[in-house]
Amino acid sequence: MALIQWIYNLLWGDLFTITLPGGSELGLSLLVLILIPSGIFFTVRTRFLPFRLFPDMIRITLEKKTSSKTDAISGIQALIISTATRVGMGNLVGVVAAISAGGPGAVFWMWVTALLGSSTAFAEATLAQIYKDPDPLYGGFRGGPAWYIHRFFTKKTVRESKKRSVIAVLFALSGLLCWCGISQVIGNSVSSSFANAFRIPPIWTTLILVLVAAVIVLRKNATVRVLDIVVPVMAGLYFVITIFIIIKNTGRLPAVFKQIFEEAFGLRQAVAGGFGAVLMNGAKRGLFSNEAGSGSAPCAAAAADISHPAKEGLLQAFGVFIDTIVICSCSAMIMLLTPENLTAGQAGMDLLQAAMHYHLGSFGVIFTAVILWLFSFSTFIGILFYARPNVAYLFGDNWTSQTLYKILALIMLFVGGLQAYTFVWDLGDIGIAFMTVFNMLALIPLSGEAMRSLKEYEGNQVKKH
């Protein structure tokens, strides 16, 4: 346990602190030191892609699937899968925690990290497309960081080489560890929220959750069909409810935005730790939420059957926008439009439910529990889609290993619903941190290929016009 805590602190804790003018401190963790500079690197290298090519992201999202491969998923379906896993309980409870610890100014830095992360998401998704392979088990295609890491370190494709790359193996193992940890967190969050909202004993909520999930994930290709329905519905509902709350409180909006920007730059002391706490809480929440750079979303991006690799890269960059700029901002607005005296002394889901109760009465509490269930459920079946290529990379193309990992994840979901094991949660956080480290070892050196793909795509667009 002590070793796990030491590793966790090494990856997520502050490696060192910088004293800022005014006496506040800026603590920098290893993951922040990796992801923020790499986000700046990719943003500059793509010539500020999130701003230049945002219209292209919208246009590609609205394109119809033209592939003749019936088993392959479309680019938009890959976006839906990655959105299912990005848009989880972190968009609800995580944003609340960031504002509680860092104040309203944290929201601004959450937006900044999303804009930087969009370019990183583009690069890793484009590389996943370049190095994808046909999937002999599920049909269509498969790939992800394990594939391009393998190519970088062995100089051969996965199909050409029987030997495995040590770094690619470590990435895949880290992913499987991370997703088991997330499964436990999902089970616990759902059972807790339903116990608070409906007084339903955790055992019943957990049993229903596990049974419904098992019916979907143990079938060959049910995941994509379910997420095609669930993700747009849940995101749309949450967005519509938030817009209703904003319209209801239109008069308070100028004050909220003024508070966000003033506190973002330390113009007004708001939280313990000052400007440093504001910046880091917002940045960390943005990094945790959009997952750009961790290598998870490329596992879905590789499965897309799309006409050009850069198109899938742009779709995944748009996914970061949906996750952080839209959904996380929804949670932030719900919180910031609630009088502070009504949420004082509360934290996590209780704080969010108190805010929703203020805006929508008892319906708000029920809605929060239901939307958390949908967010968490879609995350669970989404991460098992991510697991497919990584299980195949480690254990070969066989249904036994695929099914055993799904059963393990279902067990973790069940156990998490009945008891909170923070030890396992820490392992999940360690897993995603190691994924990020191993992913970056190949992503930055191979970024030139993603940039060439972007240049080719933009050249094709010029020719069309």
Side-chain angles (χ1 to χ4, degrees):
M1 293 289 287
L3 176 62
I4 296 299
Q5 191 60 44
W6 181 83
I7 295 172
Y8 179 88
N9 290 335
L10 174 66
L11 295 167
W12 289 112
D14 294 339
L15 287 184
F16 57 88
T17 57
I18 301 172
T19 302
L20 301 173
S24 64
E25 292 185 336
L26 182 64
L28 298 172
S29 68
L30 178 62
L31 268 292
V32 168
L33 290 170
I34 291 173
L35 290 170
I36 296 296
S38 63
I40 295 170
F41 169 76
F42 286 116
T43 300
V44 172
R45 196 150 190 213
T46 59
R47 293 175 293 126
F48 298 89
L49 174 144
F51 304 98
R52 286 194 308 113
L53 297 179
F54 189 79
D56 289 59
M57 296 178 196
I58 302 295
R59 181 179 54 77
I60 296 167
T61 302
L62 299 175
E63 281 184 356
K64 293 182 179 179
K65 180 180 176 182
T66 56
S67 171
S68 58
K69 288 180 175 289
T70 55
D71 288 333
I73 66 172
S74 65
I76 187 63
Q77 286 174 317
L79 172 62
I80 286 172
I81 294 167
S82 62
T83 301
T85 57
R86 285 191 180 112
V87 178
M89 58 203 163
N91 295 73
L92 303 177
V93 184
V95 173
V96 170
I99 294 173
S100 298
V107 176
F108 174 81
W109 295 109
M110 185 177 72
W111 294 336
V112 171
T113 56
L115 293 173
L116 294 176
S118 291
S119 299
T120 306
F122 167 83
E124 59 183 357
T126 302
L127 283 176
Q129 270 287 306
I130 291 171
Y131 289 107
K132 68 184 180 184
D133 277 339
D135 190 333
L137 292 180
Y138 294 95
F141 299 97
R142 52 111 183 262
W147 263 247
Y148 60 73
I149 291 171
H150 180 100
R151 176 67 177 82
F152 177 69
F153 285 102
T154 67
K155 308 306 178 187
K156 294 181 180 179
T157 65
V158 174
R159 281 186 293 177
E160 293 171 343
S161 174
K162 291 184 179 180
K163 291 184 178 180
R164 292 292 181 249
S165 159
V166 173
I167 303 300
V169 166
L170 290 173
F171 172 86
L173 286 172
S174 299
L176 299 185
L177 176 68
C178 167
W179 298 319
C180 275
I182 290 175
S183 299
Q184 272 225 345
V185 178
I186 288 170
N188 186 261
S189 298
V190 171
S191 64
S192 298
S193 66
F194 268 62
N196 291 337
F198 306 112
R199 302 292 183 265
I200 299 174
I203 182 65
W204 297 115
T205 303
T206 304
L207 277 173
I208 293 170
L209 178 66
V210 171
L211 287 173
V212 173
V215 169
I216 295 167
V217 302
L218 294 176
R219 295 176 66 187
K220 183 179 176 181
N221 281 320
T223 295
V224 177
R225 293 196 296 272
V226 171
L227 291 180
D228 275 350
I229 298 170
V230 172
V231 172
V233 169
M234 72 178 191
L237 280 174
Y238 194 55
F239 183 70
V240 168
I241 287 291
T242 306
I243 293 300
F244 171 75
I245 291 171
I246 289 172
I247 292 172
K248 188 180 168 187
N249 296 273
T250 305
R252 298 188 58 202
L253 274 182
V256 166
F257 279 102
K258 181 182 178 183
Q259 194 178 13
I260 289 173
F261 288 104
E262 281 186 348
E263 295 188 17
F265 295 98
L267 300 178
R268 187 165 73 94
Q269 182 73 17
V271 295
F275 173 68
V278 174
L279 192 156
M280 292 316 300
N281 276 284
K284 286 181 178 179
R285 177 66 261 144
L287 295 174
F288 294 165
S289 179
N290 63 55
E291 299 181 359
S294 71
S296 53
C299 298
D305 186 13
I306 198 164
S307 60
H308 196 281
K311 281 188 171 184
E312 185 58 32
L314 289 169
L315 280 173
Q316 293 302 326
F318 186 54
V320 173
F321 175 87
I322 294 171
D323 169 81
T324 309
I325 304 297
V326 178
I327 304 298
C328 283
S329 296
C330 286
S331 298
M333 288 299 115
I334 290 169
M335 282 295 306
L336 297 177
L337 289 169
T338 304
E340 290 182 19
N341 64 300
L342 295 179
T343 56
Q346 300 189 67
M349 185 52 65
D350 291 338
L351 199 158
L352 181 61
Q353 287 185 323
M356 289 295 278
H357 186 271
Y358 167 76
H359 292 297
L360 302 171
S362 57
F363 169 77
V365 178
I366 295 170
F367 176 80
T368 304
V370 172
I371 207 72
L372 176 69
W373 192 94
L374 288 172
F375 277 27
S376 301
F377 177 72
S378 64
T379 295
F380 179 75
I381 59 178
I383 60 178
L384 287 183
F385 189 96
Y386 285 175
R388 290 179 183 181
N390 295 287
V391 170
Y393 186 81
L394 293 171
F395 305 109
D397 296 316
N398 60 81
W399 286 111
T400 301
S401 58
Q402 293 283 333
T403 304
L404 285 175
Y405 184 76
K406 291 174 183 177
I407 292 172
L408 173 62
L410 287 164
I411 291 171
M412 299 298 273
L413 183 68
F414 180 78
V415 172
L418 303 181
Q419 182 67 47
Y421 291 98
T422 55
F423 167 74
V424 179
W425 296 7
D426 287 345
L427 284 178
D429 288 339
I430 288 170
I432 197 167
F434 275 130
M435 286 170 68
T436 304
V437 172
F438 298 133
N439 183 39
M440 284 297 171
L441 289 176
L443 180 60
I444 292 176
L446 288 173
S447 61
E449 296 191 35
M451 298 310 113
R452 282 191 290 274
S453 182
L454 176 61
K455 185 177 180 180
E456 182 183 86
Y457 165 79
E458 291 190 271
N460 292 342
Q461 292 302 111
V462 171
K463 289 177 184 177
K464 285 182 182 179
H465 297 91

